[in-house]
Amino acid sequence: MSDMPVSNRVRKVVKESEEVRTIFLEDNVPGAIPGQFVMVWLPGVDEKPYALSYMDGEAAVTVQRRGKFTDEIFKLKKGDYIGVGGPYGNGFDVDVCKRPCIIAGGIGIAPLAPLAEKLARKKPIIIMGAATKEKLIFRERMEKVCKVEHTTDDGSCGRKCFASDILEEVIEKCRVDVVYGCGPEMMLKRVFEICRKNRVECQLSLERYMHCGLGVCGSCAVDGYRVCVDGPVFSSKQLSRMSEFGRFARLKYGKKVGLSEYYAWRE
Amino acid sequence: MRNPTVLSSGFLGVNVEMLKRVVQEGAGAVTFKSIGPKVKSGHRNPTVLAYEWGMINAVGLPSPGYKDMEGELARMKEVGAPVFVSIYGASVEEFREVAEAVAGYNPAVIELNVSCPNTKAEGMVFGCSEKHSAEVVAAVKDVAGKVPVMPKLTSQALDVGRVAKACEEAGADAIAAINTVGPGMLINIEAKKPVLDYKRGGISGPAIRPIAVRCVYDIYEVVDIPILGIGGVTEGRDVIELMQAGATAVGIGSGIYYRGIDVFKKVCEEMKIWMKENGYKDVKKLIGVAHE
Ligand SMILES: Cc1cc2nc3c(=O)[nH]c(=O)nc-3n(C[C@H](O)[C@H](O)[C@H](O)COP(=O)(O)O)c2cc1C
Ligand code: FES
């Protein structure tokens, strides 16, 4: 067994929006399924987890600009070195659904886009939300696959509300049986509650700071679960057992803080 | 302890819920991740790697400091198995300060990390020297009250047996051995850079098992207090090997990577089978038999 960054190169960079880039890799990440992630290493800079936004022969990660590390990712161009470890984590379980709904908040669409493509035959409904129209990335990619409901905070595309505001309506109207979600954790918490109320299963992808990605260090803990190995995708049953979900996360040095402090630190 | 396996320090022990989980997965006792005197942010990633024969890490003892861990420490009883608390400091005074705060929560053991190779100021200097290790033990004993004190030693000491003996004489109630070995380094030859951001890291896992066995053997020869044997355990046979070398209980860390978080259950099952096949009823009968 060996787990460390594998040398790769950038095949191309696609600008999805002002603040988002997709980095396509020259070498594929074999065996990955939607919802799994890779550890991206920029030598001398840092290493962080990113969900695979493309797979099956054309692996890519989609990155939102945030801080020092992503500034460096934004400088990458074709042919540049990039270390890639993984794939890691469990990924979404696609066998359990008949009528899936996919709900994405902002960059949360990254792991959900390949999921939507994989589920295409089951005619999923996608709810994509973002602050503005410009920030609704993968819009065309998703519209090709299935029915898409858009929401924006400013009303520049689709309905002017949060993605989770229309979930209940979609669940009822389309007789959804499983909801797949990724996005800010406050949104996911609402998604979880709506699903519970409507007796619909959900599978939500969580995010925490990660050191090892290998299930040994505990930095990604949510209660007794490790986001890197037990997750990042968790079922309704697992989520219902988590007291920290939607409330607390840990900073790099292990301090437990409220979610808003965690997100402020991530920026 | 219901079985001789212990979750080693630095692995998963960030909160009570995770420790409870590890107990459910079969551990006989668990250890809180090393706690220091103040906030320490640890190193940048990559911090943990696995190569063919072992793991190498330079996490750098990240810790929120004991004050921010008090909420978790206060709930220790909920874990449902003995809880060890690992502490570190950059000076005898710091060890004393953290130990005093931690002892108030009455853990099963206070483990002294005098041996981490990944940080420059903390630890290493103490673990290599008989005198310094003994000073830390004496200072901590002074404030620990009834809580047993267990220094965790390093294979890097010239004579680990002598360090252990000095600790015993200073009042240590048990000895843990060993911490990670090295430091070592791995270079990514295409990037032409060390893979760990900190460049050097401590080696653990199967690669260091023979070193751990030798250290436990050496220590058993010279001390009378119990030994927690740590290093490279992934199977039941490895626990038995360390016990035959002299360990009373055995720490497991990297084994979580190799066998999964239920490594504790698996290892105990494998031990049971071996013991049955070899006519042992009581695990205690295994301790130190390789010396006879
Ligand atoms: C990622 C990682 C973090 C560790 N952190 C600590 C620590 O904080 N304190 C400590 O005393 N030992 C620490 N160790 C050392 C382990 O507790 C143990 O002594 C060593 O890994 C050998 O055991 P193993 O082969 O079962 O992993 C760490 C080891 C690893 C791999
Ligand atoms: S990142 Fe280390 S356990 Fe998940």
Side-chain angles (χ1 to χ4, degrees), chain A residues 80-106:
Chain A
D80 283 350
Y81 180 93
I82 181 170
V84 178
Y88 295 126
N90 57 355
F92 292 103
D93 181 352
V94 294
D95 296 327
V96 291
C97 66
K98 289 200 185 71
R99 191 77 171 111
C101 169
I102 293 174
I103 181 163

Short mmCIF file of all heavy atoms in Angstrom, two decimals, chain A residues 80-106:
data_model
loop_
_atom_site.label_atom_id
_atom_site.label_comp_id
_atom_site.label_asym_id
_atom_site.label_seq_id
_atom_site.Cartn_x
_atom_site.Cartn_y
_atom_site.Cartn_z
N ASP A 80 2.00 22.31 -16.59
CA ASP A 80 2.56 22.51 -15.25
C ASP A 80 2.43 21.25 -14.40
O ASP A 80 1.47 20.48 -14.53
CB ASP A 80 1.87 23.67 -14.53
CG ASP A 80 2.35 25.02 -15.03
OD1 ASP A 80 3.34 25.04 -15.80
OD2 ASP A 80 1.73 26.04 -14.68
N TYR A 81 3.36 21.11 -13.46
CA TYR A 81 3.35 19.97 -12.54
C TYR A 81 2.23 20.11 -11.52
O TYR A 81 1.94 21.18 -11.01
CB TYR A 81 4.69 19.90 -11.79
CG TYR A 81 4.73 18.73 -10.84
CD1 TYR A 81 5.26 17.51 -11.24
CD2 TYR A 81 4.22 18.83 -9.55
CE1 TYR A 81 5.28 16.43 -10.38
CE2 TYR A 81 4.22 17.75 -8.68
CZ TYR A 81 4.75 16.56 -9.11
OH TYR A 81 4.75 15.47 -8.26
N ILE A 82 1.60 18.99 -11.21
CA ILE A 82 0.61 18.96 -10.13
C ILE A 82 0.63 17.54 -9.54
O ILE A 82 0.66 16.55 -10.26
CB ILE A 82 -0.79 19.37 -10.67
CG1 ILE A 82 -1.85 19.38 -9.58
CG2 ILE A 82 -1.25 18.50 -11.82
CD1 ILE A 82 -3.18 20.01 -10.03
N GLY A 83 0.71 17.46 -8.20
CA GLY A 83 0.70 16.15 -7.56
C GLY A 83 -0.73 15.80 -7.19
O GLY A 83 -1.47 16.66 -6.70
N VAL A 84 -1.11 14.55 -7.43
CA VAL A 84 -2.50 14.16 -7.18
C VAL A 84 -2.54 12.82 -6.43
O VAL A 84 -2.08 11.81 -6.94
CB VAL A 84 -3.29 14.04 -8.50
CG1 VAL A 84 -4.72 13.59 -8.23
CG2 VAL A 84 -3.29 15.36 -9.25
N GLY A 85 -3.07 12.84 -5.22
CA GLY A 85 -3.22 11.60 -4.44
C GLY A 85 -4.67 11.15 -4.43
O GLY A 85 -5.57 11.97 -4.40
N GLY A 86 -4.89 9.87 -4.47
CA GLY A 86 -6.28 9.39 -4.40
C GLY A 86 -6.62 8.51 -5.58
O GLY A 86 -5.74 8.06 -6.28
N PRO A 87 -7.91 8.24 -5.84
CA PRO A 87 -9.08 8.86 -5.21
C PRO A 87 -9.31 8.39 -3.77
O PRO A 87 -8.99 7.27 -3.43
CB PRO A 87 -10.23 8.38 -6.10
CG PRO A 87 -9.76 7.08 -6.65
CD PRO A 87 -8.27 7.21 -6.81
N TYR A 88 -9.88 9.27 -2.96
CA TYR A 88 -10.16 8.99 -1.57
C TYR A 88 -11.65 9.13 -1.27
O TYR A 88 -12.40 9.80 -1.99
CB TYR A 88 -9.41 9.99 -0.68
CG TYR A 88 -7.91 9.86 -0.77
CD1 TYR A 88 -7.11 10.96 -1.07
CD2 TYR A 88 -7.28 8.63 -0.54
CE1 TYR A 88 -5.72 10.85 -1.14
CE2 TYR A 88 -5.90 8.52 -0.61
CZ TYR A 88 -5.12 9.63 -0.91
OH TYR A 88 -3.77 9.50 -0.99
N GLY A 89 -12.05 8.54 -0.16
CA GLY A 89 -13.43 8.69 0.32
C GLY A 89 -14.37 7.69 -0.33
O GLY A 89 -13.97 6.90 -1.18
N ASN A 90 -15.63 7.75 0.10
CA ASN A 90 -16.59 6.72 -0.31
C ASN A 90 -17.35 7.02 -1.59
O ASN A 90 -17.64 6.14 -2.37
CB ASN A 90 -17.58 6.44 0.83
CG ASN A 90 -18.34 7.69 1.28
OD1 ASN A 90 -18.07 8.80 0.81
ND2 ASN A 90 -19.28 7.51 2.18
N GLY A 91 -17.71 8.27 -1.85
CA GLY A 91 -18.51 8.58 -3.04
C GLY A 91 -19.99 8.33 -2.81
O GLY A 91 -20.40 7.77 -1.80
N PHE A 92 -20.79 8.79 -3.77
CA PHE A 92 -22.25 8.64 -3.66
C PHE A 92 -22.67 7.23 -4.02
O PHE A 92 -22.08 6.59 -4.89
CB PHE A 92 -22.94 9.62 -4.63
CG PHE A 92 -22.76 11.07 -4.25
CD1 PHE A 92 -21.85 11.86 -4.94
CD2 PHE A 92 -23.48 11.63 -3.21
CE1 PHE A 92 -21.68 13.20 -4.61
CE2 PHE A 92 -23.32 12.96 -2.86
CZ PHE A 92 -22.42 13.75 -3.57
N ASP A 93 -23.71 6.76 -3.35
CA ASP A 93 -24.29 5.46 -3.67
C ASP A 93 -25.43 5.70 -4.66
O ASP A 93 -26.45 6.29 -4.30
CB ASP A 93 -24.80 4.82 -2.38
CG ASP A 93 -25.41 3.44 -2.62
OD1 ASP A 93 -25.57 3.06 -3.81
OD2 ASP A 93 -25.71 2.76 -1.63
N VAL A 94 -25.24 5.24 -5.89
CA VAL A 94 -26.24 5.56 -6.93
C VAL A 94 -27.29 4.47 -7.10
O VAL A 94 -28.26 4.65 -7.84
CB VAL A 94 -25.55 5.78 -8.31
CG1 VAL A 94 -24.68 7.03 -8.26
CG2 VAL A 94 -24.75 4.57 -8.73
N ASP A 95 -27.09 3.35 -6.42
CA ASP A 95 -28.02 2.24 -6.64
C ASP A 95 -29.33 2.37 -5.87
O ASP A 95 -30.31 1.72 -6.19
CB ASP A 95 -27.35 0.91 -6.26
CG ASP A 95 -26.16 0.62 -7.15
OD1 ASP A 95 -26.22 1.02 -8.34
OD2 ASP A 95 -25.17 0.05 -6.67
N VAL A 96 -29.31 3.23 -4.84
CA VAL A 96 -30.45 3.25 -3.94
C VAL A 96 -31.62 4.10 -4.45
O VAL A 96 -32.70 4.07 -3.86
CB VAL A 96 -30.05 3.79 -2.54
CG1 VAL A 96 -29.15 2.80 -1.84
CG2 VAL A 96 -29.36 5.15 -2.65
N CYS A 97 -31.44 4.86 -5.53
CA CYS A 97 -32.50 5.81 -5.91
C CYS A 97 -33.27 5.38 -7.16
O CYS A 97 -32.74 4.70 -8.03
CB CYS A 97 -31.89 7.18 -6.13
SG CYS A 97 -30.79 7.24 -7.54
N LYS A 98 -34.56 5.78 -7.19
CA LYS A 98 -35.35 5.61 -8.41
C LYS A 98 -35.58 6.97 -9.04
O LYS A 98 -35.56 7.12 -10.25
CB LYS A 98 -36.70 4.97 -8.07
CG LYS A 98 -36.60 3.51 -7.67
CD LYS A 98 -37.96 2.82 -7.82
CE LYS A 98 -37.94 1.39 -7.30
NZ LYS A 98 -37.84 1.32 -5.81
N ARG A 99 -35.84 7.96 -8.18
CA ARG A 99 -36.17 9.29 -8.67
C ARG A 99 -35.31 10.30 -7.89
O ARG A 99 -35.73 10.84 -6.86
CB ARG A 99 -37.66 9.55 -8.43
CG ARG A 99 -38.19 10.77 -9.11
CD ARG A 99 -38.39 10.51 -10.60
NE ARG A 99 -39.12 11.65 -11.20
CZ ARG A 99 -38.57 12.50 -12.05
NH1 ARG A 99 -37.31 12.37 -12.42
NH2 ARG A 99 -39.29 13.49 -12.54
N PRO A 100 -34.08 10.50 -8.33
CA PRO A 100 -33.15 11.33 -7.56
C PRO A 100 -33.32 12.83 -7.77
O PRO A 100 -33.69 13.27 -8.87
CB PRO A 100 -31.78 10.88 -8.08
CG PRO A 100 -32.03 10.36 -9.45
CD PRO A 100 -33.44 9.86 -9.51
N CYS A 101 -33.06 13.58 -6.72
CA CYS A 101 -32.94 15.02 -6.83
C CYS A 101 -31.53 15.39 -6.39
O CYS A 101 -31.02 14.83 -5.41
CB CYS A 101 -33.97 15.69 -5.92
SG CYS A 101 -33.71 17.47 -5.75
N ILE A 102 -30.92 16.29 -7.12
CA ILE A 102 -29.57 16.73 -6.79
C ILE A 102 -29.63 18.20 -6.44
O ILE A 102 -30.18 18.99 -7.20
CB ILE A 102 -28.63 16.49 -8.00
CG1 ILE A 102 -28.48 14.98 -8.23
CG2 ILE A 102 -27.28 17.17 -7.79
CD1 ILE A 102 -27.70 14.62 -9.48
N ILE A 103 -29.10 18.55 -5.27
CA ILE A 103 -29.17 19.95 -4.86
C ILE A 103 -27.76 20.48 -4.56
O ILE A 103 -27.02 19.88 -3.77
CB ILE A 103 -30.14 20.16 -3.68
CG1 ILE A 103 -30.21 21.64 -3.30
CG2 ILE A 103 -29.81 19.30 -2.48
CD1 ILE A 103 -31.42 22.01 -2.45
N ALA A 104 -27.40 21.56 -5.26
CA ALA A 104 -26.04 22.09 -5.16
C ALA A 104 -26.07 23.54 -4.76
O ALA A 104 -26.84 24.33 -5.30
CB ALA A 104 -25.34 21.95 -6.52
N GLY A 105 -25.23 23.90 -3.80
CA GLY A 105 -25.07 25.30 -3.43
C GLY A 105 -23.70 25.76 -3.87
O GLY A 105 -22.69 25.19 -3.44
N GLY A 106 -23.63 26.73 -4.77
CA GLY A 106 -22.35 27.29 -5.21
C GLY A 106 -21.43 26.24 -5.80
O GLY A 106 -21.82 25.43 -6.63
#
